[in-house]
Amino acid sequence: DGGITQSPKYLFRKEGQNVTLSCEQNLNHDAMYWYRQDPGQGLRLIYYSQIVNDFQKGDIAEGYSVSREKKESFPLTVTSAQKNPTAFYLCASNGGLLEQFFGPGTRLTVL
Amino acid sequence: GQNIDQPTEMTATEGAIVQINCTYQTSGFNGLFWYQQHAGEAPTFLSYNVLDGLEEKGRFSSFLSRSKGYSYLLLKELQMKDSASYLCAVLNAGNNRKLIWGLGTSLAVNP
């Protein structure tokens, strides 16, 4: 089955700790995206990558970092510099078609 | 600036028809998407319009008027499972396939 996986579904961390969220896809898509969603808010783009070994900042990149060493993987690190990291994080990808396909999301809670 | 407007909440009755509107002002346009998002889950793709007119797909239809910067999603024969948030997103021309997202319309279907 082709798709996007994110793990874990729920993640708890202490304030001041860095945490890495996993995103893997086996759809052979070139482009991958990370979004953050807060209650009552739309999706806000954190980082995106059009191709392996290349990525660009989105609208709210401060306090986050990414890597794209493999086509299948686009992990997101939430650093201690992110002031308010508690949110629902969504990873997405697209290939030749224009629509983005989403993973199930990771709900991060910082205590 | 770039802006997408949708109503925040709507309520409808099972079996009825509901229309969710979306207006947009963007510096470029390369198509408009509608996504459905159930609470706590990832958005799933519903429709894509790039030319003016109505696209029908089962119980769901989507309409676009580029000259008016306007789209709507029409849901017929409403079912309880249609209770969800509906997200409108515009693909900005020449912007590396980045989407501009509305805040979403929360639809409650009552028996």
Side-chain angles (χ1 to χ4, degrees):
Chain A
D1 278 324
I4 303 175
T5 57
Q6 291 184 246
S7 61
K9 191 168 177 63
Y10 298 96
L11 190 56
F12 296 88
R13 278 295 182 268
K14 291 183 179 178
E15 196 171 344
Q17 287 183 334
N18 291 358
V19 60
T20 297
L21 281 58
S22 164
C23 177
E24 303 278 331
Q25 55 99 357
N26 61 4
L27 300 166
N28 200 33
H29 285 170
D30 286 317
M32 297 185 75
Y33 308 81
W34 273 106
Y35 293 97
R36 170 182 173 139
Q37 189 174 37
D38 295 282
Q41 301 269 344
L43 298 181
R44 292 188 289 169
L45 184 64
I46 304 172
Y47 269 98
Y48 65 103
S49 168
Q50 299 291 309
I51 198 169
V52 174
N53 292 322
D54 187 47
F55 49 83
Q56 282 79 42
K57 292 182 179 179
D59 302 316
I60 56 164
E62 185 175 349
Y64 300 97
S65 66
V66 294
S67 63
R68 187 85 188 275
E69 297 175 3
K70 298 187 298 181
K71 189 175 187 177
E72 304 79 23
S73 178
F74 191 40
L76 173 74
T77 297
V78 184
T79 75
S80 56
Q82 169 48 234
K83 298 274 189 284
N84 185 19
T86 294
F88 187 44
Y89 289 88
L90 287 159
C91 179
S93 70
N94 65 356
L97 300 175
L98 291 175
E99 68 260 31
Q100 294 182 11
F101 296 87
F102 285 83
T106 293
R107 191 166 296 279
L108 173 64
T109 302
V110 175
L111 306 170
Chain B
Q2 316 221 76
N3 195 48
I4 295 181
D5 286 316
Q6 308 179 231
T8 304
E9 296 179 338
M10 297 185 72
T11 304
T13 304
E14 194 174 14
I17 299 173
V18 72
Q19 178 175 310
I20 302 174
N21 296 325
C22 171
T23 57
Y24 62 90
Q25 291 176 312
T26 58
S27 56
F29 181 84
N30 204 15
L32 185 143
F33 294 84
W34 284 97
Y35 281 80
Q36 180 191 60
Q37 186 179 26
H38 285 100
E41 297 182 10
T44 54
F45 169 77
L46 290 177
S47 67
Y48 170 67
N49 294 67
V50 66
L51 300 176
D52 290 350
L54 187 68
E55 297 272 347
E56 297 187 74
K57 196 185 290 186
R59 294 190 299 115
F60 292 6
S61 303
S62 56
F63 171 83
L64 175 68
S65 168
R66 289 172 297 171
S67 63
K68 295 182 180 177
Y70 168 68
S71 172
Y72 67 72
L73 181 69
L74 193 71
L75 291 74
K76 303 176 185 175
E77 301 168 15
L78 280 171
Q79 302 175 9
M80 299 297 290
K81 67 179 182 180
D82 297 329
S83 292
S85 185
Y86 291 86
L87 311 177
C88 173
V90 170
L91 182 62
N92 215 354
N95 223 2
N96 292 326
R97 293 189 278 179
K98 284 170 58 178
L99 289 172
I100 303 166
W101 294 86
L103 297 184
T105 298
S106 179
L107 173 67
V109 179
N110 298 319

